[in-house]
């Protein structure tokens, strides 16, 4: 009875926080978007067969494997969703690209920008469609921001002030992990990348940066439940000045020991005729400054997300009813499918993922050199 | 490979706003909750076979029918989900109860409290499990409120001030519909029921009410695109004083012509030692008043929903990442499944749905009589 | 050098919280408003000569007396400012009226509405100018509200929801005082009068009320440091439904045991084309709902008080710099002087003070009778 | 009758925005603080005798002069209050210091740091008490911040993020003035100095900065109503990275073309055990992050200014009633008098004013050099 709907088979590698989020998004997409395609959760690859079996059952995949190569090589699979540890992204993606799969990779694209560059070049050479999971950009209200900026209704944009602050590393007894690895770890790489991608999405290339970083927690346990501690060699927080190619100047902060902040991915963008203020802490609200009907009636207006902000209406026909974090991933999947059906590239393709990492690199370089550093790779 | 998981077959009747929301919740539940059961979207019944076919495809049901009795009578089906127009709830529910199905019915339970009573009695007599879709009660932060009140840490609760205000009927050219039908229509019945159910969930029985209602929009088009208008005979807004069996006194408002409000289901609950303030407009925040470490440090503390507030962690392992409106329905489905697996009744069974309607009735009676009215059915 | 400026001599009776506030306002007025008159703090009357001497020195009065009649009878004195205990208002005011003084009386006008009526009639018969200290009405943003409502730009006003909630009586060991006297005490009289006066100022006469009151703290110490307790016979909190002569319906609350609230004199006013939301907790902000330039851009706009909102500019030439509580009293004094210089009556004259008390009375009657009660005195 | 109170005579030079604010503060201080001294508004100096006469009358000064030297040289005068244009501060202050007056000077101390240094050295050599008008530091809630930081209850402070953003120069047709003079003009000097002084007050010396500035409005009219325009050579906005001697790192922004912001002097201070968030936009609120009684109950708590926060109680005995901008200046005057009576130095003496200017200088140098610059003068 499902008729002539085209079926797209998804193979997913990894089943942590983001894997579960991807799986939920794939499951939810069809019913919410009334899509012409049917998404089939085809195969889950996990660290071993037992884990894969268990998680496939939970997440609704039809097949399970302990070998990710089985996913990449399965001719039935259309989309390879990579939610494995960052250090594996390159190898998996290159293999998937070689097989011509659409590659949907969690951020960061890889642990180094040179690795990310390799992935980007391979994808572009192979003509393969790619998408990096910068989910916060999928918020319908962020689309509103982008359109308002592009339309010129805010006048010339002159200043940017952004931040991604969370508190998930505040506990000094959290052990080392990929997050604290010198290959790709640290707050700037981990969550700074979110505010960088947001800034780039809204305002274009960041060309130059000056930064200061700090390692607050000087040592952490080597492993969970280990009493042995090893030094932390990555930043816990960083502040950077940024110059955009458009002439906008500003600052951004990344901080994963931001006591009291759970999701302060926030920005204020100032134009000569208007301004925008947004925080992911209240992700269903956008504050837009508007001139008033007469003096004394200027002010920031609180816009609540609603069906006038595409694609909110696919989730709910009534304004003010709130999208949640997981819904952003559903929208990301919808963009992935649109990309496949309509042959257009998504803003956050591998090239964009690479450029975000080049911006992270420049911030790291500047923190070491004490000088302004140009962002490469643009 | 899906192993020995128990399968629960869902038959759903109706596919509007709430039908889509139910379908999405059933699809999402398993992957998020790692349930021991598998939910199968078995059959969708809609107004005719063509509609049912189309919507079943979109929403992921395996079968489709233009006759809701086929759902109720299908021995394979375990759960009957009723999202059909309110006027049909009774007939469908009674038929489903007769067949021993678990009945999951959207609110309001029916168009009149006597009809709701009939449904309740039938279900109780048959020993059938029931659940009414008061989704806003599923918010993990509302559970926090309930526990705090029950624990006594707020002292004696003395005052309640609540409201459900939206703007979806502001346009005077919106036509008549079931919402404006004298059988069960009006703002108090439609959304007042939400703040009534919230008040009852947190503070117990409302025993007596005094109210004033108003019909703002005196006439509406008979049908969409009709130029003929007919008088509106239901309330557009109502304010009521309420007395609880516990001695708490307060007020509540229902208003569907509340210019500027999209989802202000809000309350402030005052105890002798603490207070709670919540609005669905910022559904991931709860404001709890706490005494300070020393004078000058008292204040309302903003709590953000997180994995410490069950079952938020099933959606996301990190605090502050936001549940959305649709997630509340997933939690409702999880409660439905728990009810079935563990044999416990849910707070919002048909008896509760009936009592909410009795409270609505008393508000209507008081608006007419100009006197305090006792709530029946308690 | 002070030239030909007219001098107005102030005699003040009482020097508590409000007395100090009056004195500060009189001192500040001239410099801020650049007035054509000079205000002279002529004489302070207090409970005895010693107190009067001490407080006159502190507050800057030139003379001091232990006998309030000396103030009323002093031919030099133009304005009699009454901040004495409520129970003395009538006697003082009648004496001052008899001497033809301008009478500036703190709210409530008196302890009973019949007493207030006597004062009002005496003043009107004598043709004496009067002003009652409803300071919250002096907020420049409240003037904005009044103008917007009167202009019709919010459409027809249909609903009102107001409140005055504070926590200053939360401590059950606070002793009895005039506040808990059955002559004029209780939360509804004490602070309910503020939200009543606000509602009347913005929306006109409240004609009918239904209410429920509650005494939370059943007994209090007879006197400070007394271990003997006596029953409390006044309300600690009250909720009322209100009908306005204009057809607006709504509710209001008065609560002086509102844990967590220090100054929540707040309201939301709903019109068919716009809405206003205000709380004294953020007295320099007004939230105005406005339709947007296109769908999806509607919202509440936050207006910050500034020089476009008269008479803010007399305090500061720059917007957003905040008026404080004491500044409201300076504006009240400016209105008093304007009244004297221009011969116009102020909105909050004794007649208005009387009508506010009649509204309080009706709420009290309704709480006793359990019926809707008409407001007399309109 | 004013008894044996000590009289302090104030001579004020200038009567613009800040002059009026000073005068109001001097008038209000005694009555609010119940001071052992009486402040006498002795003489106002203005640009000519006519202006001085007019303004003295309005502001309540007893004498008036068109020659500021008359103030400085008057042996009766104890305090010289300098609110004249910045370019005159040095000459006036040096003359007043020579005469041994207490000097109360508006910020910035002077137009250049070398001039400020000269003033500081002269005052210190002469042993004269000085105070610079950094009024925002007088907020009782800022004192709470300072104490919390100093006490260690927030743990080690690790990050600072601050800003002073206003919109008063947004209009590109505002003419040149002292604000746009290359001697001391620009947003960083004008309002950046406020957030710098705040940062220094709370966290100590800023030792090194990296910055980027921008001139948004490239030309302005030479004079009001002039059609001739001249280039703007000062910054309209600047962002800076800052390192504190304590090891704290962070960023700050100054922006006087911040569309939509009227008084966003704001900061977030992050410690390892707590955090503080404040904005002058809501100057009566402080948000303090506190760990909860149990997991899930952490959060930012909103503290409202009240009598527990000295010296709020001098303005009002009840919490939540709001201080305003002008009240901050009254507190500043109270600190000035305390300094004189108790012989203690105030934090914001001329040395502090000088150091703030050195910090501004370093930001300017860094914007030019493109390098980190050390702050001199510490």
């Amino acid at each position: 009875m499902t008729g002539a709907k085209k079926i797209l088979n998804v193979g997913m590698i990894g089943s942590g926080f983001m894997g579960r989020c991807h799986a939920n998004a794939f499951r939810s997409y069809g019913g919410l978007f009334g899509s012409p395609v049917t998404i089939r959760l085809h195969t889950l690859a996990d660290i071993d067969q037992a884990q894969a079996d268990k998680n496939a059952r939970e997440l609704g995949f039809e097949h399970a494997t302990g070998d990710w190569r089985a996913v990449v090589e399965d001719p039935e699979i259309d989309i390879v969703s990579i939610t494995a540890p960052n250090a594996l992204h390159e190898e998996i993606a290159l293999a998937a690209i070689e097989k011509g799969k659409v590659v949907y990779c969690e951020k960061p694209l890889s642990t180094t920008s040179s690795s990310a560059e390799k992935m980007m070049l391979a994808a572009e050479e192979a003509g393969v469609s790619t998408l990096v999971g910068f989910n916060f950009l999928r918020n319908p209200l962020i689309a509103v921001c982008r359109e308002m900026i592009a339309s010129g209704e805010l006048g010339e944009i002159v200043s940017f002030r952004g931040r991604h602050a969370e508190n998930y590393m505040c506990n000094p007894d959290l052990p080392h992990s990929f997050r604290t690895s010198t290959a790709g770890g640290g707050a700037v790489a981990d969550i700074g990348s979110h505010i960088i991608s947001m800034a780039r999405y809204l305002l274009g290339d960041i060309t130059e940066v000056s930064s200061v970083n700090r390692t607050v927690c000087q040592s952490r346990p080597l492993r969970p439940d280990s009493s042995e501690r090893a030094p932390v060699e990555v930043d816990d927080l960083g502040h950077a000045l940024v110059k955009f190619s458009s002439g906008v100047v500003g600052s951004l902060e990344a901080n994963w020991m931001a006591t009291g902040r759970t999701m302060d991915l926030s920005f204020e963008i100032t134009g000569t005729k208007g301004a925008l203020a947004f925080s992911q802490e209240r992700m269903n609200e956008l504050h837009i400054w508007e001139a008033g009907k007469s003096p004394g009636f200027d002010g920031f207006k609180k816009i609540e997300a609603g069906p006038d902000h595409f694609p909110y209406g696919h989730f709910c026909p009534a304004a003010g009813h709130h999208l949640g974090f997981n819904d952003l991933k559903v929208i990301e999947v919808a963009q992935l499918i649109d990309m496949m059906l309509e042959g257009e590239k998504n803003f956050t393709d591998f090239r964009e993922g690479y450029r975000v990492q080049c911006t992270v690199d420049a911030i790291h370089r500047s923190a070491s050199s004490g000088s302004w550093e140009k962002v490469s790779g643009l």
Side-chain angles (χ1 to χ4, degrees), chain A residues 85-109:
Chain A
N86 303 339
L88 296 176
H89 286 192
E90 180 186 330
E91 191 182 1
I92 299 172
L94 291 179
I97 288 164
E98 202 190 308
K99 297 294 180 183
K101 308 297 189 196
V102 168
V103 188
Y104 174 22
C105 186
E106 258 316 299
K107 54 80 42 187
L109 188 46

Side-chain angles (χ1 to χ4, degrees), chain A residues 80 154 211 226 303 332:
Chain A
V80 173
L154 304 174
S211 77
S226 157
I303 306 299
E332 190 166 279

Side-chain angles (χ1 to χ4, degrees), chain A residues 241-321:
Chain A
L241 302 178
V242 289
K243 296 180 190 169
F244 293 81
S245 57
S246 63
V248 174
V249 297
S251 74
L252 56 82
E253 176 189 3
N255 191 340
W256 67 20
M257 290 187 72
T259 306
R261 294 296 176 188
T262 55
M263 186 33 88
D264 192 22
L265 169 61
S266 61
F267 58 81
E268 182 161 330
I269 291 175
T270 306
T272 52
K273 293 184 189 160
L276 300 172
F278 172 84
S279 169
Q280 184 71 17
E281 285 191 350
R282 289 174 171 166
M283 61 173 271
N284 289 278
E285 296 178 11
L286 173 63
H287 297 260
I288 303 173
W289 186 88
E290 287 182 356
K293 53 170 187 159
S294 57
F297 289 89
D298 301 340
F300 274 96
K301 187 191 261 190
K302 185 176 85 170
I303 306 299
E304 294 179 275
D308 293 312
H309 312 114
F310 180 81
Y312 177 102
H314 282 289
F315 294 84
C316 179
H321 281 57

Side-chain angles (χ1 to χ4, degrees), chain A residues 82 86 89 105-109 132-135 189-191 193-194:
Chain A
I82 307 177
N86 303 339
H89 286 192
C105 186
E106 258 316 299
K107 54 80 42 187
L109 188 46
V132 187
F134 286 110
N135 36 261
D190 196 27
I191 53 176
S193 51
H194 284 302

Side-chain angles (χ1 to χ4, degrees), chain A residues 136-158:
Chain A
F136 299 113
L137 272 53
R138 319 306 171 183
N139 189 327
L141 293 175
I142 298 301
V144 171
C145 293
R146 195 169 195 234
E147 283 156 28
M148 289 185 79
I149 291 166
S151 75
E153 64 188 294
L154 304 174
E156 187 194 1
I157 305 302
V158 297

